[in-house]
DNA sequence: GTTGAAATACAGACGCG
DNA sequence: CGCGTCTGTATTTCAAC
């Protein structure tokens, strides 16, 4: 089991989700603390697995990935072979940013990023439709992204025994 | 207009998308260079807007966001008022990680992260269904994520005049 | 949570190819 | 024009308090 997070930990995680390039000292100033304890806390958050990794966010437009689409896929059947065949094939496609195995109407939802509609057509024809397990595909295109990705809202996991002695 | 990316820039971007915590020196070793030019190139990639920001990726399970859902929304009508009303309301909901305005069958696709099904029910009943502009909603739940998010595939944007004198 | 010291990385300068 | 060596500065990191 993992340690409980206190209010300072939550604040650190929120800050790091927005901007992981801040120095410990800058984070410390925001929280009215000093760099050392911030550093220890971040190290612990990493070691305990709360922070999985740090990534750079690129501008899709500038690297010719300006068109994003959600591709909803139904397989021909739900055999174990079809599922693993599909997943194996999808993982190799660079246009597929994310692949989710879903409950409900669709078997998979893919988040796809390509240069333009021509490139998406190319992707469907030469990549996706070549996968044998595919039954039907429905596409919706992203016109506008209203909320940016990546940041999870953080609340304190159920805290049955609030510590009365937190110096924070 | 922005500068063209060469092979070293592409490599740097790929590395930084996977692990933004590597030091310039570590990146330099991977690319058989020294830290100085790497540092200069990263600075330029930031200044030119290729790299928008750096973020920490958290473990959804550990912060009680283990259930992810895609919520497909159709509005009652497509008036300008309905659209902006919906977007304004959505932005305030912490459970909504991403919000896309779509073409096609649905008006919006929301990526929602909550603790469990009970929390999702709560989210629908007390948050989403409270928005007046909402027409209908269809949910699919994520059972498994096959491909991780965030990393764009990078190719060299159309290179009409390949430089013959690249020292790289 | 604080202080202080050593190791390391950053962010310029400069000269070289 | 980009690379590499060098330099001062800031930051990280680890110790003891």
């Amino acid at each position: 089991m993992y340690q409980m997070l206190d209010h300072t930990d939550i604040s650190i995680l929120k800050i790091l989700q927005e901007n992981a390039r801040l120095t410990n000292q800058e984070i410390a100033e925001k929280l009215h603390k000093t760099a050392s304890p911030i550093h220890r806390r971040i190290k612990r958050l990493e070691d305990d697995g709360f922070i999985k990794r740090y990534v750079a966010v690129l501008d899709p437009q500038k690297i010719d990935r300006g068109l994003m689409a959600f591709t909803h896929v139904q397989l021909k059947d739900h055999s174990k072979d079809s599922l693993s065949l599909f997943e194996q094939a999808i993982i190799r496609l660079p246009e597929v940013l994310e692949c989710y195995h879903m409950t409900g109407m669709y078997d998979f939802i893919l988040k796809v990023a390509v240069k333009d509609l021509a490139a998406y057509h190319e992707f469907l024809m030469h990549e996706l439709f070549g996968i044998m397990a595919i039954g039907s595909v429905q596409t919706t295109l992203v016109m506008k992204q209203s909320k940016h990705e990546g940041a999870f809202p953080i609340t304190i996991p159920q805290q049955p025994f609030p510590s009365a002695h937190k110096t924070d």
Side-chain angles (χ1 to χ4, degrees), chain A:
Chain A
M1 192 49 184
Y2 51 81
Q3 279 287 113
M4 207 63 93
L5 300 177
D6 69 6
H7 180 263
T8 304
D9 292 319
I10 306 277
S11 299
I12 291 174
L13 289 177
K14 282 182 180 172
I15 290 171
L16 254 26
Q17 274 194 127
E18 294 300 322
N19 184 359
R21 260 285 158 107
L22 291 178
T23 65
N24 293 342
Q25 199 163 322
E26 288 170 315
I27 297 170
E29 282 166 17
K30 283 177 187 283
L31 304 180
H32 307 292
K33 299 209 185 309
T34 56
S36 257
I38 299 296
H39 173 256
R40 259 199 302 259
R41 280 169 181 272
I42 292 177
K43 191 109 182 59
R44 189 172 61 72
L45 290 168
E46 291 168 356
D47 293 343
D48 291 353
F50 286 93
I51 299 171
K52 285 164 72 179
R53 57 192 219 280
Y54 298 87
V55 301
V57 179
L58 307 189
D59 184 337
Q61 305 282 350
K62 298 223 171 189
I63 54 172
D64 278 2
R65 294 295 207 293
L67 179 67
M68 194 178 287
F70 283 93
T71 309
H72 300 71
V73 175
Q74 285 175 304
L75 300 186
K76 278 208 284 247
D77 61 83
H78 292 172
S79 68
K80 207 170 142 193
D81 282 354
S82 285
L83 283 172
S84 65
L85 175 70
F86 178 78
E87 284 201 53
Q88 293 304 313
I90 281 298
I91 287 173
R92 288 187 299 100
L93 301 180
E95 294 89 351
V96 178
L97 264 41
E98 307 172 22
C99 171
Y100 301 94
H101 188 187
M102 311 295 295
T103 69
M105 307 180 289
Y106 308 106
D107 295 317
F108 288 90
I109 292 183
L110 314 179
K111 190 202 260 185
V112 179
V114 289
K115 182 181 178 186
D116 49 27
L117 262 180
Y120 187 73
H121 184 248
E122 192 79 5
F123 165 74
L124 283 184
M125 291 301 170
H126 292 96
E127 305 291 345
L128 203 61
F129 291 165
I131 301 172
M132 294 309 292
I134 293 257
S136 69
V137 167
Q138 263 176 340
T139 297
T140 52
L141 302 175
V142 173
M143 288 191 288
K144 182 190 165 204
Q145 181 161 0
S146 304
K147 205 166 178 181
H148 72 278
E149 53 196 297
F152 283 96
I154 309 170
T155 48
I156 299 186
Q158 68 284 355
Q159 204 155 357
F161 299 109
S163 161
H165 298 309
K166 273 276 151 67
T167 58
D168 195 24

